[in-house]
Amino acid sequence: WAFDLETTSLDPRTAELAGLSFSLRMESAVYVPLRAPETERCLPETQVLEALRPLFEDSANRKIGQNLKFDAGVLRAKGIRVAGMHFDTLVASYLRTPGGRNLGLDALAMKYLGVKTIPLTDLIGKGKDQISFDAVPLEAAVRYACEDADITLRLHKLFAPQIAEHDLESLYADVEVPLIHVLANVERRGVRVDLELLARLSEEF
């Protein structure tokens, strides 16, 4: 199944969850709201995450996502270690067209599915008037989030056979997918830096 997270920030370490969307079959999806404007009904985050924990942490339960590194990082900050990251449409699209510049879901949906998706800026605005996703009215949030999960599942159905056709399965499974976990851990924990060496290199360069 495909899933997508809606968050209040692009920093996985500090982002709060506004909701989660899931798609189990194409052109169908559901949204679980956790944060929304005060007049909207939401579910308690702790209860929802504990209910979903067995699914997310089960390696035999294969997950599909767009930029799984971010989603895994957000859930890791909530105490959930995502296992079974089966297919990342962002990584797959890069393998199909190395050097491709725009790998965002909106661009991939238009390029490969001919679908014009709802721009995030339609919901949250931009610039000084931008709002957080948890301030988006629930009706609009549902449409946007469910579309994300559905498009991700549809891209998987398109990309997966192409990865096999171009003999990229080993590269994808043995290198790219494990790297998702490595990079997510690096972003969460940071890296040790030799400041003296960097200073010397700075002078040399």
Side-chain angles (χ1 to χ4, degrees):
W1 40 269
F3 78 98
D4 186 62
L5 306 182
E6 302 306 335
T7 63
T8 60
S9 167
L10 295 178
D11 183 345
R13 298 167 300 172
T14 60
E16 293 295 342
L17 280 168
L20 310 89
S21 55
F22 301 89
S23 180
L24 282 74
R25 62 180 184 275
M26 291 191 290
E27 299 187 28
S28 175
V30 296
Y31 182 62
V32 182
L34 302 180
R35 287 181 175 81
E38 289 184 7
T39 56
E40 309 278 14
R41 294 182 62 190
C42 291
L43 296 171
E45 178 181 291
T46 301
Q47 184 177 341
V48 168
L49 293 182
E50 284 308 309
L52 294 174
R53 178 187 296 277
L55 294 175
F56 278 121
E57 296 189 343
D58 181 3
S59 60
N61 203 304
R62 301 189 299 175
K63 292 100 183 152
I64 300 161
Q66 164 80 5
N67 191 12
L68 282 171
K69 176 170 65 69
F70 174 79
D71 292 338
V74 172
L75 290 172
R76 181 68 184 88
K78 298 292 182 181
I80 294 177
R81 295 177 180 269
V82 179
M85 290 193 281
H86 170 64
F87 201 90
D88 189 322
T89 52
L90 186 151
V91 173
S93 66
Y94 180 78
L95 289 182
R96 290 180 76 262
T97 54
R101 294 188 176 186
N102 196 343
L103 304 180
L105 194 63
D106 293 348
L108 296 180
M110 177 57 73
K111 181 176 181 179
Y112 295 108
L113 303 175
V115 174
K116 188 180 188 312
T117 53
I118 303 167
L120 179 59
T121 52
D122 283 4
L123 278 69
I124 66 172
K126 52 187 174 182
K128 61 183 179 65
D129 297 322
Q130 183 173 314
I131 62 174
S132 180
F133 198 91
D134 57 352
V136 174
L138 195 52
E139 184 178 347
V142 167
R143 288 198 303 270
Y144 174 84
C146 285
E147 182 179 67
D148 277 2
D150 171 53
I151 291 294
T152 299
L153 184 64
R154 290 163 67 181
L155 287 171
H156 163 258
K157 297 291 185 184
L158 178 67
F159 288 166
Q162 295 173 351
I163 294 293
E165 288 170 12
H166 291 86
D167 295 323
L168 295 170
E169 288 176 300
S170 177
L171 173 61
Y172 180 81
D174 299 333
V175 177
E176 296 294 346
V177 171
L179 189 58
I180 294 173
H181 294 278
V182 173
L183 292 177
N185 285 333
V186 167
E187 289 183 1
R188 182 174 62 86
R189 301 187 61 178
V191 292
R192 184 169 293 173
V193 174
D194 185 331
L195 295 178
E196 291 184 5
L197 175 60
L198 280 181
R200 293 200 303 272
L201 290 175
S202 179
E203 291 179 8
E204 288 180 30
F205 294 157

